[in-house]
């Protein structure tokens, strides 16, 4: 059985204009020690999916349907108190922007310490502090600085503190939500290297949410592509790169600029639809060159084609299309 | 740190010195004869010799530079001059009045800040609910009421009609008390003016706290606190309220200075013997030396309040620590 199994997950936001399904009928799984990349344009529901796994969706949003099974337990059905204990113990988060994700009025070490002491109430203060210092050293920050405040660190260091914080309770799954966005290239490389070490040295399962295609393809074992709230393609990185099936994935890969290539760079015409008035059927059909009538009428299911581990949601691979 | 401290104190001392200097020159720049200020309307009936003797008495016949030196020396020694109206040294009058003003404005500042923070945090935490709307409407109402009107309504209701509380003064003047009855009597007299002052002061703290807390609740570190699985109370107090308090603390510190000037309107409505009422009496009686001394006290205490704010703010905001 997979460590994490997501089935038919739908997250809706009830706005004044109507109900928006930011994530719709998403299913995938994550194995122990695996790194899964979740890519897509801004506003396609990647971060909402990540937060849904932690059940951190707030009013006016709600998880409308689906299952999120971690180690055989459907966490959607847990009561709030039980869910509180799953957070950080089993599944933790490296946030989008570590600049603002640390409490400015508390020392960084204490913010890590409070997570440890909360989830391991019997731990001695000295042992917990020792663990905080070890975690900081592990991400390359002097453990002696554990009582320093967030503003005394640089952006890259804060991001590393956030990674140390995510490890506080030895979780099994870590969600990295755009955690390299807004950093300079060298700092990005350090953070990416660190995330890779989480997998290699600690054996963690990681979901990397990003719109940086090059980064995701470089470090992830598998890739999931999202478009307008739907999962449109998922498969091993190699297969997605060599043989992208969904027209959106193909467009995404073609728009990626390579310095060593002939210099051609294309883009996908149009833009992501506002989900409040998303087109019926396949949400991608207005931008798709191969769109047919059936694409406007109904939603293509996610199906395996040649290989069982490579799935795509597109009618183009249906007989008689 | 000590160098920073010395620098700050030196800066503020300079400001106070300039304030004192302006306070000295301002009345001397006013048109007309100082005799009118000193002797009032009786000046018309004075002989030239009497006028000269008054001027000499007040040292006004000396050159300006010498007057200034004497003024500075008097202030340093706590001599603020003589009240023409009350026939008493001004320093003695202020010594009488200051404790009452500090009792009233000090407790009002503490209470209104505390209640404003509690209600503001509660409203923001329940944003958009009926509780939030009810609190907002209530405090907007009190915010738009003139303070003397609120005071008069309370006097009419709880003083005149229900007769629960005395409506003027700070204590029973005709009946010497001591021990517990003495303090109980002072508290009894304090209720109405204090309630009025608190009611009209809460709204500003409430608004600032509510807005600040709403901002903080939208921050990423609140989401992180939830993701870490912290309990609701820990998120509310350790994260949200703690960070939302910063602007409120700034306002509180600035208001500390204004405490000393008293609450002129409220003290007048309730005939409370504080510095605010002293100022009102001085205006009505054209007691210029008293007014001048009051202005000096207000400006100096406001400046000292700012200094205190500068020194204490690093305790609550780690970003400005050195």
């Amino acid at each position: 059985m997979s460590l994490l199994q997501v089935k038919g997950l739908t997250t809706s936001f009830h706005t004044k204009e109507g109900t928006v399904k930011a994530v719709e009928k998403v299913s995938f799984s994550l194995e122990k020690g695996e790194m899964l990349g979740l890519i897509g344009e801004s506003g396609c529901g990647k971060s909402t999916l990540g937060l849904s796994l932690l059940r951190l969706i707030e009013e006016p949003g709600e998880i409308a349907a689906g299952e999120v099974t971690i180690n055989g337990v459907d966490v959607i059905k847990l009561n709030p108190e039980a869910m509180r204990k799953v957070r950080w113990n089993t599944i933790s988060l490296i946030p989008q922007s570590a600049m603002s994700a640390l409490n400015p009025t508390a020392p960084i070490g204490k913010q890590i310490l409070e997570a440890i002491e909360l989830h391991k109430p019997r731990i001695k203060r000295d042992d917990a502090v020792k663990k905080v210092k070890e975690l900081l050293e592990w991400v390359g920050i002097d453990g002696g600085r554990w009582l320093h405040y967030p503003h005394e660190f640089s952006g890259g260091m804060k991001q590393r503190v956030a990674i140390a914080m995510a490890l506080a309770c030895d979780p099994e799954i870590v969600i990295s939500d755009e955690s390299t966005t807004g950093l300079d290239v060298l700092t990005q490389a350090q953070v990416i290297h660190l995330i890779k070490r989480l997998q290699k040295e600690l054996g963690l399962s990681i979901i990397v949410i990003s719109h940086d295609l090059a980064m995701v393809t470089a470090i992830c074992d598998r890739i999931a592509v999202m478009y307008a709230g739907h999962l449109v393609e998922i498969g091993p990185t190699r297969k997605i790169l060599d043989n992208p099936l969904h027209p959106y994935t193909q467009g995404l890969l073609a728009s990626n600029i390579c310095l060593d290539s002939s210099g051609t760079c294309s883009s996908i015409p149009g833009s992501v639809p506002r989900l409040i008035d998303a087109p019926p059927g396949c949400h991608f059909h207005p931008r798709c060159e191969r769109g047919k009538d059936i694409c406007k009428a109904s939603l293509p299911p996610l199906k395996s084609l040649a290989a069982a581990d490579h799935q795509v949601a597109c009618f183009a691979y249906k007989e008689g299309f | 740190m000590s160098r920073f401290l010395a620098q700050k104190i030196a800066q503020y001392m300079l400001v106070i010195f300039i304030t004192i200097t302006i306070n000295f020159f301002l009345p001397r720049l006013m048109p007309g004869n100082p005799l009118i200020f000193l002797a009032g309307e009786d000046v018309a009936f004075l002989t030239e010799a009497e006028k000269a003797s008054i001027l000499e008495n007040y040292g006004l016949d000396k050159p300006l530079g010498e007057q200034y030196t004497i003024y500075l020396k008097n202030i340093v020694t706590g001599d603020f001059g003589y009240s023409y109206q009350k026939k008493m040294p001004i320093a003695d009058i202020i010594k009488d009045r200051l404790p009452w003003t500090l009792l009233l404005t000090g407790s009002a500042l503490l209470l209104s800040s505390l209640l404003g923070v509690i209600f503001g945090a509660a409203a923001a935490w329940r944003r958009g609910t009926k509780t939030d709307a009810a609190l907002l409407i209530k405090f907007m109402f009190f915010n738009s009421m003139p303070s003397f009107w609120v005071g008069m309504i309370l006097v009419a209701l709880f003083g005149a009609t229900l007769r629960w509380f005395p409506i003027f003064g700070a204590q029973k003047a005709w009946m010497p008390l001591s021990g517990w009855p003495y303090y109980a009597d002072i508290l009894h007299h304090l209720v109405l003016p204090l309630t009025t002052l608190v009611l009209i002061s809460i709204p500003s703290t409430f608004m600032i706290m509510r807005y600040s807390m709403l901002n903080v609740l939208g921050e990423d570190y609140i989401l992180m606190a939830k993701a870490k699985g912290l309990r609701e109370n820990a998120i509310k107090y350790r994260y949200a309220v703690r960070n939302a308090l910063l602007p409120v603390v700034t306002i509180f510190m600035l208001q500390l200075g204004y405490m000393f000037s008293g609450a002129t309107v409220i003290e007048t409505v309730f005939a409370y013997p504080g510095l605010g009422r002293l100022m009102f009496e001085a205006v009505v009686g054209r007691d210029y030396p008293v007014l001048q001394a009051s202005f000096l006290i207000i400006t100096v205490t406001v400046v000292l309040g700012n200094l205190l704010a500068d020194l204490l703010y690093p305790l609550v905001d780690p970003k400005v620590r050195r």
Side-chain angles (χ1 to χ4, degrees):
Chain A
M1 195 180 57
S2 307
L3 175 62
L4 169 74
Q5 186 85 46
V6 179
K7 258 190 213 153
L9 186 66
T10 300
T11 302
S12 312
F13 288 88
H14 305 289
T15 68
K16 278 182 188 145
E17 291 177 73
T19 297
V20 171
K21 287 177 178 165
V23 172
E24 191 175 8
K25 292 179 189 159
V26 167
S27 302
F28 67 94
S29 64
L30 183 72
E31 304 301 322
K32 192 161 175 47
E34 185 186 34
M35 191 173 314
L36 174 73
L38 191 59
I39 59 170
E41 285 164 275
S42 303
C44 70
K46 305 182 300 274
S47 288
T48 305
L49 176 57
L51 292 180
S52 298
L53 299 182
L54 274 154
R55 270 180 63 189
L56 285 176
I57 302 298
E58 305 235 321
E59 293 276 323
E62 60 156 352
I63 295 174
E67 291 173 12
V68 174
T69 310
I70 301 174
N71 283 327
V73 179
D74 181 6
V75 298
I76 302 294
K77 291 201 182 74
L78 291 178
N79 64 41
E81 184 60 17
M83 186 62 215
R84 202 176 59 69
K85 287 176 179 152
V86 170
R87 291 184 188 140
W88 235 247
N89 251 336
T90 315
I91 179 163
S92 69
L93 176 74
I94 303 172
Q96 193 149 16
S97 140
M99 308 283 175
S100 54
L102 297 170
N103 181 357
T105 53
I108 52 149
K110 289 223 166 141
Q111 299 184 48
I112 302 175
L113 192 70
E114 80 183 338
I116 298 175
E117 292 189 328
L118 180 75
H119 291 291
K120 294 187 174 68
R122 256 173 265 133
I123 195 167
K124 285 200 190 90
R125 174 50 74 104
D126 290 350
D127 294 338
V129 170
K130 201 170 142 239
K131 166 109 185 174
V132 168
K133 289 182 180 168
E134 280 169 10
L135 284 169
L136 288 173
E137 296 282 352
W138 195 83
V139 297
I141 286 170
D142 176 10
R145 294 186 67 188
W146 73 289
L147 283 177
H148 286 207
Y149 286 87
H151 70 273
E152 296 171 86
F153 295 91
S154 71
M157 287 169 109
K158 275 187 238 180
Q159 194 57 266
R160 280 183 275 156
V161 169
I163 292 174
M165 191 152 84
L167 299 176
C169 301
D170 305 307
E172 293 175 74
I173 304 166
V174 174
I175 299 171
S176 153
D177 186 3
E178 303 271 17
S179 43
T180 58
T181 309
L183 299 174
D184 67 83
V185 185
L186 288 175
T187 316
Q188 262 188 28
Q190 287 176 359
V191 172
I192 292 165
H193 177 68
L194 206 51
I195 292 175
K196 193 71 192 164
R197 275 177 65 205
L198 298 183
Q199 181 196 24
K200 280 193 174 153
E201 293 175 24
L202 305 176
L204 299 184
S205 308
I206 301 160
I207 297 177
V208 179
I209 298 173
S210 177
H211 53 247
D212 183 348
L213 197 63
M215 186 269 278
V216 168
T217 51
I219 64 171
C220 292
D221 307 308
R222 278 199 306 150
I223 286 179
V225 184
M226 277 191 85
Y227 185 79
H230 293 138
L231 199 60
V232 295
E233 185 165 1
I234 184 167
T237 306
R238 202 65 257 163
K239 286 184 185 168
I240 298 263
L241 280 179
D242 293 346
N243 184 25
L245 295 172
H246 198 279
Y248 178 65
T249 315
Q250 291 165 357
L252 211 55
L253 288 173
S255 64
N256 200 30
I257 302 166
C258 289
L259 289 178
D260 56 36
S261 74
S262 56
T264 54
C265 175
S266 64
S267 69
I268 307 171
S271 58
V272 185
R274 286 180 70 227
L275 285 170
I276 190 83
D277 37 39
C282 172
H283 287 353
F284 188 62
H285 82 254
R287 300 170 77 182
C288 184
E289 290 167 2
R290 300 154 76 178
K292 288 199 173 177
D293 287 345
I294 184 170
C295 305
K296 294 173 193 162
S298 58
L299 196 65
L302 197 63
K303 285 199 306 194
S304 304
L305 286 176
D309 58 356
H310 189 177
Q311 296 171 299
V312 66
C314 183
F315 287 121
Y317 302 96
K318 196 181 174 187
E319 278 175 55
F321 183 75
Chain B
M1 183 64 204
S2 61
R3 207 180 134 216
F4 162 74
L5 195 77
Q7 231 172 24
K8 274 279 166 222
I9 291 176
Q11 265 175 24
Y12 279 100
M13 285 304 135
L14 184 68
V15 173
I16 288 179
F17 176 71
I18 293 171
T19 305
I20 291 173
T21 307
I22 293 175
N23 205 45
F24 169 78
F25 282 105
L26 218 50
R28 282 162 179 82
L29 290 174
M30 285 200 289
N33 194 317
L35 279 173
I36 296 173
F37 302 142
L38 294 172
E41 271 137 32
D42 299 341
V43 76
F45 307 106
L46 297 175
T47 63
E48 285 305 313
E50 281 171 324
K51 286 180 188 172
S53 109
I54 291 176
L55 284 181
E56 198 193 327
N57 215 349
Y58 282 92
L60 288 171
D61 54 340
K62 297 190 175 76
L64 206 58
E66 206 183 323
Q67 286 183 34
Y68 180 56
T69 333
I70 293 171
Y71 179 73
L72 284 184
K73 206 167 76 193
N74 285 346
I75 283 177
V76 173
T77 53
D79 178 5
F80 293 105
Y82 196 80
S83 164
Y84 153 78
Q85 189 191 19
K86 297 194 194 313
K87 319 274 185 232
M88 272 171 85
I90 295 172
D92 289 351
I93 304 177
I94 288 172
K95 229 179 280 167
D96 272 356
R97 300 292 187 103
L98 193 59
W100 295 116
T101 275
L102 288 183
L103 175 67
L104 177 62
T105 54
S107 45
L109 180 60
L110 282 179
L111 262 180
S112 66
S113 300
L114 192 69
L115 292 174
V117 162
I118 291 173
F119 286 124
W125 190 253
R126 295 172 182 77
R127 179 185 199 169
T129 62
K130 277 185 188 148
T131 318
D132 182 22
L135 285 172
L136 202 57
I137 291 168
K138 214 174 286 169
F139 288 123
M140 286 296 272
F141 175 78
F142 284 118
N143 200 27
S144 47
M145 293 297 124
S147 56
F148 69 88
W149 188 83
V150 175
M152 277 153 72
I153 294 289
L154 289 183
V155 165
L157 187 62
F158 296 103
T161 311
L162 293 170
R163 294 180 177 276
W164 286 355
F165 299 105
I167 57 173
F168 65 88
Q171 57 184 332
K172 281 186 187 131
W174 60 88
M175 200 163 137
L177 294 165
S178 61
W180 282 114
Y182 172 72
Y183 295 110
D185 180 48
I186 287 175
L187 273 182
H188 198 209
H189 278 80
L190 190 63
V191 172
L192 287 186
L194 180 63
T195 309
T196 314
L197 208 48
V198 168
L199 279 181
I200 60 164
S201 316
I202 289 180
S204 60
T205 313
F206 169 80
M207 295 293 186
I208 295 165
M209 183 63 190
R210 180 177 174 275
Y211 181 71
S212 166
M213 180 106 161
L214 284 179
N215 272 341
V216 167
L217 286 176
E219 291 284 345
D220 284 349
Y221 53 80
I222 298 292
L223 183 75
M224 277 304 278
K226 285 176 192 161
K228 278 198 276 189
L230 292 181
R231 291 187 178 86
E232 193 172 285
N233 276 341
I235 299 170
K236 187 172 170 184
Y237 297 109
R238 221 183 308 158
Y239 279 72
V241 172
R242 173 74 180 77
N243 283 290
L245 266 180
L246 298 183
V248 178
V249 170
T250 309
I251 303 284
F252 178 84
M253 298 284 195
L254 292 179
Q255 283 176 337
L256 270 184
Y258 287 100
M259 250 172 51
F260 291 82
S261 63
T264 309
V265 174
I266 303 294
E267 285 179 12
T268 306
V269 168
F270 289 94
Y272 207 79
L275 281 183
R277 178 136 174 275
L278 177 68
M279 246 181 284
F280 174 75
E281 290 163 359
V283 170
V284 173
R286 297 185 177 234
D287 203 344
Y288 289 95
V290 171
L291 275 182
Q292 203 185 355
S294 308
F295 293 154
L296 186 70
I297 289 179
I298 294 173
T299 41
V300 169
T301 52
V302 167
V303 171
L304 288 180
N306 285 6
L307 173 64
L308 198 67
D310 256 356
L311 298 181
L312 293 184
Y313 193 69
L315 294 182
V316 289
D317 189 356
K319 268 191 201 167
V320 293
R321 270 176 221 169
R322 296 159 199 255

